[in-house]
Amino acid sequence: GLALATAVPLWIAAGAWRLPWWLHAAAASFPLSIGVIAIAHTDPTGLVRGAKLAYGAALFLAIAAWARSPRRRMLVGVVVPVLCVYAFMQSWTTWMAVARGPWDLMKGTVDWHNQFAVHMLFGFTLGLFVGALGRGAWSIVAAVSAAVCGAGIVLSGSRYGFALACVVVVVALAAAMLVARRQGVWPLVRWLVVVAGAMILPLLLRSGLFFPGTSAAPNPLGTMTQRGGPETFAGARLDWWLASWQMGLENPLTGSGLLTFANQPVCHGQLPQWHPHNEWAYAWAEGGIVGLTPMVLLFAGVILLLAASLGSRPSAAGLGADPGRWGFLTAREVAGG
């Protein structure tokens, strides 16, 4: 019902059928693969999961067809960070209600800090580019939203999400320096304000204002540093990836079935865990070749998109006139890839 009321009308109004056929095929491969896996394992609930992905695919194609002008891309580049701020506020209220201390992970509405960080990463990327390179009230809204999304990444404690955010920060800095040659120092100032806001806001939310009686050190990265170094989690991940590989080998065509990983690692002598912390391993374990094929198509699309973007070297005028485009490219290649 939600898809019929929103994504499908937008798909029709935007003339999304004019998009390349291979883009439709790639988008459709995700829900179709879930449906095939669900049918193969007689899992009616899995068909519902496929329907949700179908809604996402239709909405993606509709927005891609609609946002063909710099102004429309700018609008989407503001709306997405604002929606991410709404998700942040939902997660923050839950976090404040259950957190035992200021260093607890902010896990988002799906109760997984890594996924929450990647969710915030899309809003941070788009908001940072539009906020730093754009002009007017839209850029202010985008910059504020980006700072909040960046704070969400820090508060999540996700080292993976933070590493990707650092890549985004560096790419946005390079773009801001290029635009600054034409527009003055303001793109660099706005970039600095967003990055500073993303680091200062976690200090405020962990302070005695929200956690009375605590003496948390003023370290915005404390949630990550207190979780230990790479040696504390690398071994477990390798074990889960090995279990994923073995699960896929047992049924290479359609895997072990949707949402079965949580019960399977112990069968291969590993610790129980609902997700192997790797989407490739997850797709192979639960979906086999059918589940892995859309991931391969997505990866190939990212490579082709990167090659095409490198062919058209960005200029200062182009970056300033269409920051939404370069924000989307960065989000797709860093966050999505």
Side-chain angles (χ1 to χ4, degrees), residues 10-205:
L10 180 59
W11 188 93
I12 296 173
W17 61 83
R18 300 189 185 95
L19 294 172
W21 67 268
W22 53 264
L23 185 60
H24 281 84
S29 67
F30 280 89
L32 285 176
S33 67
I34 297 298
V36 170
I37 296 168
I39 292 173
H41 293 277
T42 60
D43 178 15
T45 306
L47 295 177
V48 177
R49 294 170 61 84
K52 293 179 180 179
L53 276 178
Y55 164 68
L59 186 61
F60 161 73
L61 293 170
I63 293 176
W66 181 81
R68 292 185 175 182
S69 68
R71 184 178 180 84
R72 289 183 175 183
R73 284 191 288 271
M74 176 82 79
L75 179 59
V76 177
V78 174
V79 170
V80 170
V82 169
L83 291 175
C84 289
V85 169
Y86 174 72
F88 173 89
M89 296 306 298
Q90 285 186 308
S91 303
W92 177 69
T93 54
T94 303
W95 180 64
M96 285 297 300
V98 300
R100 295 167 295 178
W103 301 117
D104 284 5
L105 306 180
M106 185 181 289
K107 299 182 179 180
T109 56
V110 295
D111 199 36
W112 191 24
H113 65 289
N114 286 326
Q115 192 171 36
F116 173 65
V118 173
H119 185 186
M120 293 294 103
L121 184 63
F122 281 95
F124 176 70
T125 304
L126 296 177
L128 179 58
F129 270 81
V130 174
L133 308 182
R135 296 180 179 181
W138 284 6
S139 65
I140 297 175
V141 174
V144 173
S145 301
V148 176
C149 293
I153 297 172
V154 174
L155 290 169
S156 74
S158 171
R159 288 161 286 203
Y160 167 76
F162 184 77
L164 292 181
C166 289
V167 175
V168 170
V169 165
V170 172
V171 174
L173 175 60
M177 293 176 64
L178 187 59
V179 175
R181 295 180 181 179
R182 181 184 181 93
Q183 298 181 4
V185 299
W186 284 110
L188 289 172
V189 171
R190 293 194 293 266
W191 173 90
L192 181 60
V193 169
V194 172
V195 175
M199 302 302 291
I200 293 173
L201 184 57
L203 296 177
L204 174 64
L205 296 179

Side-chain angles (χ1 to χ4, degrees), residues 270-292:
Q270 311 301 340
L271 294 173
Q273 176 59 258
W274 76 276
H275 194 285
H277 290 59
N278 183 294
E279 295 297 339
W280 292 89
Y282 194 52
W284 167 250
E286 294 194 349
I289 295 174
V290 173
L292 203 58

Side-chain angles (χ1 to χ4, degrees), residues 235-294:
R237 280 169 166 76
L238 291 175
D239 290 339
W240 294 328
W241 297 348
L242 177 60
S244 301
W245 172 251
Q246 294 170 341
M247 288 170 59
L249 288 179
E250 291 176 353
N251 190 348
L253 184 59
T254 58
S256 62
L258 303 174
L259 300 181
T260 58
F261 183 84
N263 302 319
Q264 293 294 323
V266 293
C267 299
H268 300 280
Q270 311 301 340
L271 294 173
Q273 176 59 258
W274 76 276
H275 194 285
H277 290 59
N278 183 294
E279 295 297 339
W280 292 89
Y282 194 52
W284 167 250
E286 294 194 349
I289 295 174
V290 173
L292 203 58
T293 297

